[in-house]
C-alpha cells in the first residue's frame, strides 16, 4: 500500500476517476463531485496536491482563490485587496491559478475592479494563465472586467450581458473585449453571445478566422452602422456549428457565394416560413445535425418543411423539431404520417429524432412504426410528443417489439401508444435490448392492465433505468403505477422501490391523470 500511494502515476490514475464531469447547469452534481475531491485531498498527504489540482480545474467563483491573500477581505458591499502582498502568498496563488481550465465568473461575485487590476499588475500576466473556457455572466456590460482573464489558451467563451433596469448606454467595453480576442486569441474556436449586443461589437467577429462554432441564440443586436451586419459576418465560411435566429441567417445567406459549406450542426429559431427558405440555401453535403424551434407557422407548412429536410440533407443523423402550436380555439388539427415521417424514412443514417408539437395529432398505426424502425436501424433516441386523438387512435404496445427487434442501438424512447393489451400479442421473451429510458404517453380514459404491461416492458427491455424513469416527468398516475410494478418484479430493486414510494407520497397530486 505504501508503495502504491508513493507512485504518482497510480495516484493520478485513481484521481482521474473522480475528475469533475458536471456542467454549470447541474450545480448539485458539481458540488458533490467537488466535495468528493476535497475529502480525498484531506484523507492522505500523498493525495493533497494531485486532488487539489483537479479541484481547482473548474471554478465558479474567484473568492476562494483570492482568499489565499491576507489583504483580501469583505468590506460590507464588495471584496477588496489592500495592504502588502507577501511573495509567498502570491506564489501560492499562482500555484493554484495555473490549474484552472474552466471558470464561470458572475456579476454577483462582488469583487472590486481594483482588485483584479492590482493582481494583473503584480502577476504581469493573465490571472488564470492556462484558462481554456470562460463563462462571463455579467449583469452590467458597462462594468465588464473580463480583460484580466484573456489568455492565448482560450478556446471557449460564453458572454452574457444584461443591462441594469433603466440603464441606457453603449457597451464599448464589450466591443473592446471582443477586439482583444480577435487580435490576440488565435486559439478561440467556440463563441457564444447573448443579451444586448450593439452592432459595432460584430466588427471583431469578422477577424476571428479560426472560429468554428458561433451561438447567437438569445442575442439582441441593436443599432445600425457601417459596415452593415451582413458584411461583418461574411468571413464565416469555416463555421461547423451555428446557432442563430432565422431572419439573421437569411441576411447572411443573401451574400454572394455565402454557402457555409463546412456547416455540420445548425440550430435555428424563429418562424417556420423563414426556416423553409433557409433550408433551400444551404449546402447539403456536410450537415449532420439540425435543430429547429419555430414559434410561428401554419399547419400546411409542416409537410413542406419535412420534405425539404429529407431532400436537402441525405446524411442527416440528428433532427430536433419543435413545431409551432395551433391556436387554442381551433379544433384538434391532424397531420398525416405521410407528411411528417414518410419523407424522412429515406434518411438511413438517422440516430436521434425529436418531434415536439402542441394540439396536433399525427395518426399512425403499428405498421407505420414498423416501417419507421426498419428505416432507421441506427436509431439511438426517438421522441414524438404529438397529441392523442379523443378516440385514442395510436400505435399499440405491439409496436415496441419493432423497436426491440430492428433498432439494436436505441437507448431512449418516448411515444404515444395505446396501453390496452392487444389480442394474441407475441413478443421475444429472451430480449437483451439495451433501452435505458422509456416514456409511453397514453389516453387518460384508457383501461390499462398494469401488471401485464409491466411484465411485457421488463421482458422486452431488461436494461431500463427505472430509477431515472421515476425521477423524470411522471405526470400520469398510470405510468407511475407501471414503473412501480416493474420495480416490484425485479428481484434487486428493494431499495429503489422504497425511494420510489417515498417520492410518490411527497409528490402525489389528486389531479394526476
Amino acid at each position: 500500500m505504501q508503495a502504491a500511494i508513493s507512485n504518482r502515476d497510480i495516484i493520478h490514475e485513481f484521481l482521474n476517476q473522480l475528475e469533475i464531469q458536471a456542467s454549470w447547469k447541474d450545480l448539485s452534481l458539481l458540488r458533490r463531485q467537488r466535495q468528493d475531491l476535497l475529502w480525498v485531498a484531506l484523507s492522505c498527504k500523498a493525495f493533497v496536491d494531485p486532488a487539489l489540482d483537479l479541484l481547482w480545474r473548474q471554478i465558479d467563483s474567484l473568492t476562494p482563490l483570492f482568499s489565499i491573500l491576507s489583504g483580501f477581505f469583505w468590506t460590507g458591499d464588495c471584496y477588496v485587496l489592500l495592504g502588502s502582498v507577501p511573495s509567498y502568498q502570491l506564489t501560492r496563488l499562482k500555484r493554484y491559478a495555473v490549474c484552472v481550465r474552466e471558470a464561470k465568473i458572475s456579476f454577483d461575485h462582488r469583487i472590486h475592479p481594483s482588485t483584479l487590476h492590482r493582481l494583473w499588475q503584480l502577476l504581469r500576466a493573465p490571472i488564470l494563465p492556462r484558462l481554456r473556457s470562460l463563462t462571463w455572466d455579467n449583469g452590467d456590460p458597462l462594468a465588464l472586467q473580463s480583460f484580466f482573464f484573456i489568455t492565448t489558451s482560450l478556446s471557449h467563451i460564453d458572454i452574457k450581458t444584461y443591462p441594469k433596469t433603466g440603464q441606457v448606454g453603449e457597451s464599448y467595453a464589450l466591443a473592446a473585449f471582443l477586439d482583444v480576442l480577435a487580435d490576440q486569441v488565435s486559439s478561440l474556436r467556440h463563441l457564444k453571445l447573448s443579451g444586448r449586443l450593439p452592432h459595432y461589437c460584430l466588427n471583431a467577429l469578422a477577424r476571428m478566422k479560426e472560429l468554428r462554432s458561433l451561438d447567437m441564440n438569445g442575442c439582441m443586436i441593436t443599432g445600425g452602422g457601417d459596415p452593415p451586419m451582413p458584411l461583418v459576418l461574411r468571413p464565416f465560411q469555416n463555421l461547423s456549428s451555428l446557432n442563430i435566429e432565422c431572419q439573421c441567417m437569411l441576411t447572411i445567406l443573401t451574400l454572394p457565394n455565402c454557402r457555409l459549406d463546412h456547416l455540420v450542426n445548425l440550430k435555428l429559431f424563429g418562424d417556420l416560413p423563414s426556416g423553409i427558405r433557409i433550408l433551400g440555401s444551404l449546402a447539403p453535403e456536410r450537415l449532420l445535425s439540425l435543430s429547429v424551434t419555430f414559434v410561428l407557422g401554419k399547419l400546411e407548412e409542416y409537410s413542406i418543411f419535412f420534405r425539404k429536410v429529407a431532400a436537402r440533407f441525405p446524411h442527416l443523423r440528428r433532427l430536433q423539431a419543435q413545431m409551432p402550436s395551433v391556436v387554442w380555439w381551433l379544433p384538434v388539427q391532424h397531420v398525416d404520417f405521410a407528411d411528417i415521417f414518410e419523407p424522412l424514412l429515406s434518411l438511413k443514417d438517422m440516430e436521434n429524432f425529436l418531434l415536439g408539437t402542441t394540439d396536433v395529432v399525427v395518426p399512425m398505426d403499428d405498421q407505420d412504426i414498423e416501417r419507421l424502425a426498419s428505416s432507421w436501424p441506427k436509431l439511438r433516441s426517438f421522441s414524438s410528443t404529438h397529441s392523442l386523438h379523443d378516440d385514442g387512435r395510436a400505435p399499440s404496445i405491439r409496436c415496441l417489439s419493432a423497436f426491440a427487434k430492428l433498432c439494436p442501438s436505441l437507448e431512449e424512447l418516448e411515444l404515444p401508444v395505446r396501453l390496452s393489451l392487444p389480442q394474441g400479442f407475441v413478443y421475444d421473451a429472451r430480449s437483451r435490448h439495451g433501452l435505458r429510458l422509456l416514456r409511453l404517453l397514453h389516453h387518460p380514459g384508457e383501461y390499462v392492465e398494469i401488471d401485464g404491461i409491466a411484465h411485457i416492458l421488463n421482458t422486452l427491455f431488461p436494461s431500463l433505468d427505472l430509477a431515472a424513469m421515476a425521477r423524470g416527468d411522471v405526470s400520469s398516475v398510470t405510468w407511475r403505477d407501471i414503473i412501480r410494478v416493474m420495480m416490484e418484479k425485479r428481484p434487486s430493486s428493494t431499495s429503489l422501490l422504497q425511494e420510489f414510494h417515498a417520492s410518490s407520497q411527497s409528490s402525489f397530486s389528486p389531479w394526476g391523470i
Side-chain angles (χ1 to χ4, degrees):
M1 181 64 180
Q2 183 65 31
I5 64 175
S6 62
N7 188 316
R8 295 189 68 86
D9 291 336
I10 294 178
I11 292 175
H12 282 292
E13 185 65 28
F14 165 70
L15 290 176
N16 282 339
Q17 307 303 315
L18 299 176
E19 186 174 359
I20 294 174
Q21 303 292 336
S23 67
W24 302 119
K25 296 180 180 179
D26 194 347
L27 292 180
S28 60
L29 180 59
L30 183 61
R31 293 191 185 100
R32 187 163 64 250
Q33 291 179 347
R34 292 177 66 85
Q35 187 64 52
D36 290 343
L37 280 172
L38 183 58
W39 284 337
V40 170
L42 296 174
S43 66
C44 176
K45 187 176 181 179
F47 291 160
V48 173
D49 286 342
L52 288 180
D53 287 349
L54 286 177
L55 189 62
W56 284 104
R57 184 163 294 187
Q58 188 179 48
I59 63 173
D60 58 357
S61 173
L62 294 168
T63 304
L65 180 64
F66 293 171
S67 295
I68 292 173
L69 308 176
S70 57
F72 182 75
F73 63 93
W74 176 252
T75 65
D77 58 354
C78 66
Y79 286 97
V80 297
L81 178 61
L82 300 177
S84 62
V85 179
S87 59
Y88 74 91
Q89 291 183 2
L90 195 61
T91 300
R92 190 175 173 218
L93 183 141
K94 289 192 290 185
R95 157 74 177 83
Y96 294 118
V98 77
C99 298
V100 179
R101 298 293 185 271
E102 297 182 39
K104 180 180 181 182
I105 303 172
S106 302
F107 175 69
D108 57 5
H109 66 184
R110 300 291 184 87
I111 297 176
H112 196 273
S114 64
T115 299
L116 300 176
H117 186 268
R118 188 178 179 200
L119 282 174
W120 188 66
Q121 290 291 331
L122 289 170
L123 296 169
R124 298 289 180 182
I127 296 174
L128 305 175
R130 295 186 182 178
L131 189 65
R132 294 175 184 170
S133 176
L134 173 64
T135 298
W136 186 273
D137 192 356
N138 194 325
D140 181 4
L142 301 183
L144 199 68
Q145 302 156 18
S146 49
F147 290 95
F148 303 112
F149 302 95
I150 293 179
T151 176
T152 55
S153 59
L154 278 170
S155 61
H156 292 69
I157 292 183
D158 181 352
I159 299 290
K160 302 181 180 70
T161 61
Y162 303 99
K164 294 179 180 178
T165 303
Q167 183 186 67
V168 178
E170 298 295 346
S171 186
Y172 295 115
L174 177 58
F177 174 73
L178 294 173
D179 279 329
V180 175
L181 289 178
D183 294 338
Q184 298 184 7
V185 186
S186 59
S187 59
L188 189 62
R189 297 293 183 270
H190 309 280
L191 177 63
K192 182 176 181 179
L193 299 169
S194 57
R196 181 177 176 273
L197 187 70
H199 70 280
Y200 49 78
C201 291
L202 296 170
N203 292 316
L205 303 186
R207 308 203 309 277
M208 299 179 184
K209 301 299 177 61
E210 300 303 317
L211 204 61
R212 293 296 178 267
S213 171
L214 176 64
D215 188 338
M216 297 177 68
N217 192 353
C219 192
M220 181 179 67
I221 301 173
T222 62
D226 188 20
M229 179 181 161
L231 297 181
V232 171
L233 293 179
R234 183 173 181 173
F236 288 164
Q237 300 298 320
N238 294 324
L239 281 179
S240 61
S241 179
L242 181 60
N243 186 349
I244 197 167
E245 195 269 335
C246 287
Q247 291 299 326
C248 185
M249 182 69 170
L250 284 173
T251 304
I252 297 173
L253 291 173
T254 58
L255 297 170
N257 302 318
C258 183
R259 288 171 51 85
L260 299 174
D261 289 340
H262 296 278
L263 206 60
V264 175
N265 304 300
L266 175 62
K267 290 185 178 182
L268 294 172
F269 58 99
D271 62 282
L272 182 52
S274 296
I276 293 173
R277 289 172 58 195
I278 289 170
L279 297 182
S281 304
L282 295 177
E285 292 83 7
R286 291 179 176 266
L287 197 70
L288 302 179
S289 176
L290 176 62
S291 177
V292 296
T293 300
F294 297 128
V295 295
L296 295 173
K298 299 177 181 178
L299 204 63
E300 54 268 25
E301 293 167 330
Y302 277 34
S303 175
I304 300 173
F305 172 77
F306 287 106
R307 290 184 184 280
K308 183 159 286 191
V309 167
R312 293 289 298 171
F313 311 114
H315 305 297
L316 200 66
R317 297 179 184 175
R318 179 185 180 90
L319 176 61
Q320 293 190 347
Q322 295 289 345
M323 306 303 286
S325 61
V326 181
V327 289
W328 64 268
W329 60 82
L330 292 177
V332 175
Q333 303 292 295
H334 290 70
V335 181
D336 291 337
F337 179 89
D339 290 331
I340 292 184
F341 291 100
E342 193 163 327
L344 301 175
L345 298 185
S346 62
L347 304 177
K348 301 301 181 182
D349 294 324
M350 184 67 71
E351 296 178 3
N352 304 95
F353 178 86
L354 183 150
L355 173 66
T357 62
T358 304
D359 300 326
V360 173
V361 174
V362 185
M364 62 177 75
D365 54 26
D366 291 337
Q367 288 72 31
D368 293 327
I369 293 297
E370 186 166 356
R371 289 177 57 206
L372 186 151
S374 63
S375 299
W376 294 345
K378 299 179 182 179
L379 206 59
R380 300 182 67 87
S381 67
F382 179 87
S383 174
S384 180
T385 56
H386 58 268
S387 300
L388 284 166
H389 196 274
D390 289 341
D391 64 4
R393 274 185 287 168
S396 73
I397 197 169
R398 191 193 304 271
C399 74
L400 299 182
S401 290
F403 284 113
K405 179 176 62 175
L406 300 171
C407 301
S409 301
L410 190 65
E411 297 177 355
E412 301 179 22
L413 176 61
E414 182 175 26
L415 183 69
V417 299
R418 298 193 313 273
L419 290 181
S420 54
L421 289 175
Q423 294 292 330
F425 178 31
V426 179
Y427 53 92
D428 184 4
R430 301 183 304 276
S431 174
R432 295 292 182 267
H433 197 279
L435 188 74
R436 304 292 295 173
L437 298 176
L438 174 66
R439 187 177 182 222
L440 302 180
L441 314 175
H442 64 99
H443 196 277
E446 180 183 21
Y447 171 75
V448 180
E449 186 182 334
I450 303 294
D451 288 355
I453 296 296
H455 177 72
I456 291 173
L457 297 183
N458 264 338
T459 304
L460 279 177
F461 306 115
S463 299
L464 283 174
D465 188 343
L466 299 180
M469 289 166 56
R471 289 193 300 267
D473 179 18
V474 188
S475 57
S476 164
V477 173
T478 300
W479 186 233
R480 290 190 70 87
D481 288 342
I482 292 173
I483 295 175
R484 173 182 54 78
V485 175
M486 290 174 68
M487 291 179 180
E488 292 173 350
K489 291 180 180 295
R490 288 192 181 183
S492 59
S493 59
T494 303
S495 60
L496 185 62
L497 189 58
Q498 292 174 347
E499 294 178 12
F500 179 75
H501 282 310
S503 64
S504 297
Q505 293 173 359
S506 62
S507 61
F508 176 75
S509 169
W511 291 279
I513 296 174

